[in-house]
Amino acid sequence: MTRLLFERALSPTVPVVGEDSEYPVNRIFCVGRNYADHAREMGFEVDREAPFYFLKHAQALVQSGTTVPYPPGTANLHHEMEFVIALGAPLFRADKDRVMDAVFGYATGLDMTRRDLQQKARDKGRPWDFGKDFENSAVLSPITRAAAFGEVAGQRIWLQMDGTVRQDAKLSDLIWTVPDLLADLSHYYHLQPGDVIYTGTPAGVGPVEPGSRLRGGVDGLAEVELTVGAAE
Ligand code: MN
């Protein structure tokens, strides 16, 4: 018998709303510039030819309601409020008309971003990982089953920081819809149950500070909350 040298990192989980069950998170896909107003505030027009993505490690996930330290290596940590898809079945090379059956449910999430590192990388044509994929950077609410949420339509998506509304839009503002994204991603990956997709943020992103309290929601879903603690 060989022995395991140290304890393996466990897959993080989030609760399912109204159930005594936990959803184990596998991979975290994130969509870039999926709201026209946000693309514009970042200095871009939306690329309507194809969506683009980046990923975060599952270990970057933190459950809603947590206090996390202000992360290292940045002086410009930003909030990005997002609508999140949680898969419950595999998808590979799937057409848009059959991808919705694979959706387990939806959640609200924060794609926390070290904006200074992301922009430096972007300007040099380097990968975004250091700006996007760091500890506690993927905040996720409990998941609501798809049937309980219903159709993705004009639900409001919003974020408050310290009680002030910073982001406020509608899911109908999404450029690439849930079926668009799932069908597209399934042509590049063997999508699996446990894979989650952060669908991009509306306009109004901005910096947070130690002590900031974030609270965000989408009509019909559990809210996501995060408190930013002191830098380590
Ligand atoms: Mn984002």
Side-chain angles (χ1 to χ4, degrees):
M1 259 306 258
T2 54
R3 106 196 127 86
L4 203 56
L5 287 171
F6 46 87
E7 218 171 296
R8 82 181 81 220
L10 290 173
S11 179
T13 64
V14 286
V16 177
V17 171
E19 297 180 19
D20 185 21
S21 54
E22 297 266 325
Y23 177 97
V25 174
N26 182 28
R27 289 176 294 188
I28 302 172
F29 295 92
C30 304
V31 183
R33 295 174 209 148
N34 202 15
Y35 292 80
D37 288 351
H38 171 64
R40 244 168 255 132
E41 77 179 345
M42 299 303 290
F44 294 88
E45 287 303 315
V46 168
D47 178 355
R48 290 176 190 271
E49 278 175 27
F52 73 93
Y53 310 89
F54 55 90
L55 285 92
K56 300 193 187 216
H57 289 84
Q59 302 302 330
L61 191 134
V62 61
Q63 288 194 2
S64 173
T66 311
T67 298
V68 304
Y70 193 94
T74 183
N76 195 18
L77 179 67
H78 273 208
H79 58 76
E80 293 194 359
M81 177 65 202
E82 311 210 357
F83 173 64
V84 181
I85 310 162
L87 284 183
L91 272 181
F92 185 57
R93 292 190 185 136
D95 294 329
K96 275 186 223 177
D97 57 10
R98 69 171 194 86
V99 296
M100 295 306 281
D101 289 344
V103 176
F104 173 81
Y106 302 103
T108 55
L110 295 168
D111 164 18
M112 300 304 292
T113 301
R114 295 192 286 209
R115 190 71 73 201
D116 42 1
L117 300 190
Q118 182 207 12
Q119 287 181 333
K120 193 162 75 178
R122 194 190 66 195
D123 294 347
K124 294 187 171 182
R126 291 176 182 167
W128 284 14
D129 303 54
F130 275 32
K132 288 293 195 178
D133 187 8
F134 54 95
E135 293 97 349
N136 306 314
S137 67
V139 191
L140 195 58
S141 79
I143 296 173
T144 298
R145 283 185 181 262
F149 179 72
E151 296 283 311
V152 179
Q155 291 92 345
R156 182 175 173 229
I157 176 169
W158 56 271
L159 178 118
Q160 288 184 5
M161 185 166 86
D162 301 325
T164 304
V165 176
R166 300 283 173 158
Q167 297 187 263
D168 196 354
K170 288 181 175 169
L171 295 188
S172 46
D173 298 334
L174 281 165
I175 290 160
W176 302 103
T177 64
V178 174
D180 289 341
L181 294 169
L182 294 180
D184 184 61
L185 262 181
S186 81
H187 286 77
Y188 296 92
Y189 291 89
H190 292 75
L191 297 176
Q192 298 294 328
D195 289 343
V196 299
I197 298 109
Y198 282 60
T199 59
T201 196
V205 302
V208 305
E209 306 293 341
S212 296
R213 297 176 70 93
L214 302 171
R215 188 163 78 87
V218 169
D219 294 339
L221 297 180
E223 292 183 358
V224 62
E225 292 186 8
L226 184 75
T227 301
V228 181
E232 288 177 308

